[in-house]
Amino acid sequence: AYYRRDLRTGEFGVKISDVHLDIEKKLKSLEAIQTYGEEIFENLDKVKKSNDYMYQAYKSLSRQFHSYNELLLMATKAQLDTIKEIV
């Protein structure tokens, strides 16, 4: 990729400036990947924690109430708030 013809002299060769520019581009790309990778990992961790919380809340409510109507009639305000979070 670096071996090409110099338009001014007509000779084939490798220019250090081309190599240097390519290395700089690759370093910037790696820094961007590292930054976005950390953000993605943090977001995935938040999603996993939220999913675990919602699953535990659902299991708890489904154990306490056997039907949806029973849930609506017998649930406390805190339980109804939990349902709103799940939905």
Side-chain angles (χ1 to χ4, degrees):
Y2 305 116
Y3 190 74
R4 59 184 180 172
R5 184 172 174 224
D6 185 358
L7 296 176
R8 189 171 44 88
T9 62
E11 295 178 359
F12 285 92
V14 176
K15 297 268 187 181
I16 292 182
S17 61
D18 292 342
V19 175
H20 189 334
L21 181 64
D22 190 47
I23 290 172
E24 285 180 354
K25 285 183 184 178
K26 287 182 181 181
L27 287 175
K28 286 181 183 178
S29 174
L30 287 173
E31 289 171 358
I33 289 172
Q34 182 180 6
T35 302
Y36 294 130
E38 289 173 358
E39 289 179 24
I40 290 170
F41 182 75
E42 290 172 3
N43 290 337
L44 284 175
D45 190 45
K46 289 177 187 176
V47 167
K48 184 181 181 312
K49 286 179 182 176
S50 295
N51 189 37
D52 290 344
Y53 169 76
M54 294 302 161
Y55 181 70
Q56 293 301 324
Y58 172 77
K59 277 180 33 180
S60 173
L61 289 172
S62 65
R63 271 190 247 123
Q64 291 177 354
F65 305 102
H66 299 293
S67 70
Y68 182 69
N69 290 335
E70 183 182 344
L71 170 67
L72 293 178
L73 292 173
M74 305 295 289
T76 63
K77 176 158 177 38
Q79 289 169 332
L80 291 175
D81 290 340
T82 303
I83 293 170
K84 288 179 184 175
E85 285 182 31
I86 292 173
V87 176

